[in-house]
Amino acid sequence: MSYKEIQRLAVLQDVRDQRITQVRAAEILNLSTRQITRLLHKLNQDGVSGLAHASRGQPGHHRHDDLLKSKCLSIISEHLLGFGPTLAHEKLSSMFGLHIPVETVRRWMTANDLWIPRSKRLKRPYQPRYNRDCFGELIQIDGSYHDWFEGRAAKCCLLVYIDDATGKLLHLRFCEAETTFDYMLSTRAYIEQYGKPLAFYSDKHSVFRVNQKSSQDSQITQFGRILNELNIDIIFANSPQAKGRVERANRTLQDRLIKEMRLEGISSIADANKWLPCFIEQFNRKFAKMAFNPKDLHRAVTETAEELDEVFTWREPRRVTNSLTITYDKYVYLLENTEENQRLIGKYLEFLEYPDGTVAIEHQGRKINYSIFDKLSQLNQREIVENKRLGSVLAHIQQQHEELEQQNKCNRSQKMPRRRAQKTAIQQ
């Protein structure tokens, strides 16, 4: 019996024992007095079983025929094995003319082990691994987007470099977006302080890995080329759990770092980057631990500052036209008209863009003089930029729009009294 039927039985027994009236019983059970009389009659005639619904245990009027059910399951087993309930429902309707509700198909497939609901599937095990033995053997890197300044400044990204063996924060840097140039600046600052590690461990962000399926396996990103020149390997994680140390560090930083900056009154990226070394020292003093092996696998940086300047650049090949020009980012670069440069017509040069925004043109280690011709300067339209600069350009456009709206609002408020005066004069 259901709870509702048990409650009815208790009230009806009170009526039969004359402890309450039928009117009171009807109020308790929210039924009519006539219904109470009918239930009492069935209780006296059939006993407790008379309170149960007569159709209980009987097949439903809208249930599907067993023959149709077996036909549907046989089709799924033979032709639609491995299909989910939703897709199997679509194919049964379009290909076999069996119009059965999707939830009915789901229930049949689950009962016959043709489909396992997600709630009953075994969770994928993520077995823990031991930390690396030596400091500098594996450095996990990641970018964390968050409202780091709690509304005092725009949302930004924190680049995090953490050692796998010790859990030691090695480098932090705030930036507007997780771009190649920002990773260039952070990686250079890191290797100048600690040296070159054995390998970096990152996710499959497009900064680190070419994710286009049509691309060739030999293609690497600009950041990958830089690491290759510095003899630093990069390993890609298949899941966030695989690089759990940096993910847990991000979660800790999103709590502690935010509160520390609030106490320090820091409200800008520049001020935060100046103060971050103090926070890194405090964090490592509390959370870092000793490595299993005291050996430091960082290698000394043998490149000079000038050589590092050339390594940490965005490099792209450009072909020299017959008019001694090359095009990059909607700008035309005019090469110096010399006899040596005329031999470069039809050949590919290397266009270098540095993190500070300066550019250079190089061929076989020789820098080539140039002048810039802006073919868009005469057009009244927005500047055309590459994707790596899109974030900063949109922020600048938003600021211009806000200033323009504020200016228009002031102009409207200044013209309003004049309009009212003109309207009053006309009425008079």
Side-chain angles (χ1 to χ4, degrees), residues 393-404:
V393 172
L394 288 176
H396 178 65
I397 292 174
Q398 182 181 3
Q399 182 180 359
Q400 287 183 332
H401 287 179
E402 292 176 353
E403 293 176 355
L404 183 60

Side-chain angles (χ1 to χ4, degrees), residues 329-331 374-386 390 392-405:
D329 197 12
K330 299 301 179 179
Y331 285 90
D374 185 3
K375 63 181 180 180
L376 298 177
S377 59
Q378 303 299 325
L379 300 180
N380 186 17
Q381 65 179 23
R382 286 294 180 190
E383 182 184 0
I384 298 179
V385 298
E386 291 191 354
L390 188 58
S392 57
V393 172
L394 288 176
H396 178 65
I397 292 174
Q398 182 181 3
Q399 182 180 359
Q400 287 183 332
H401 287 179
E402 292 176 353
E403 293 176 355
L404 183 60
E405 289 177 359

Side-chain angles (χ1 to χ4, degrees), residues 26-52:
E27 294 176 355
I28 295 174
L29 298 177
N30 196 21
L31 299 174
S32 64
T33 308
R34 180 181 177 186
Q35 182 73 353
I36 296 296
T37 304
R38 187 185 67 81
L39 291 175
L40 282 172
H41 178 70
K42 295 187 72 173
L43 179 62
N44 294 329
Q45 182 179 355
D46 301 328
V48 177
S49 60
L51 299 180

Side-chain angles (χ1 to χ4, degrees), residues 90-107:
E90 295 176 3
K91 297 304 178 182
L92 287 173
S93 177
S94 61
M95 296 178 60
F96 301 96
L98 299 177
H99 304 284
I100 303 172
V102 61
E103 291 304 321
T104 302
V105 175
R106 187 188 308 276
R107 189 170 62 252

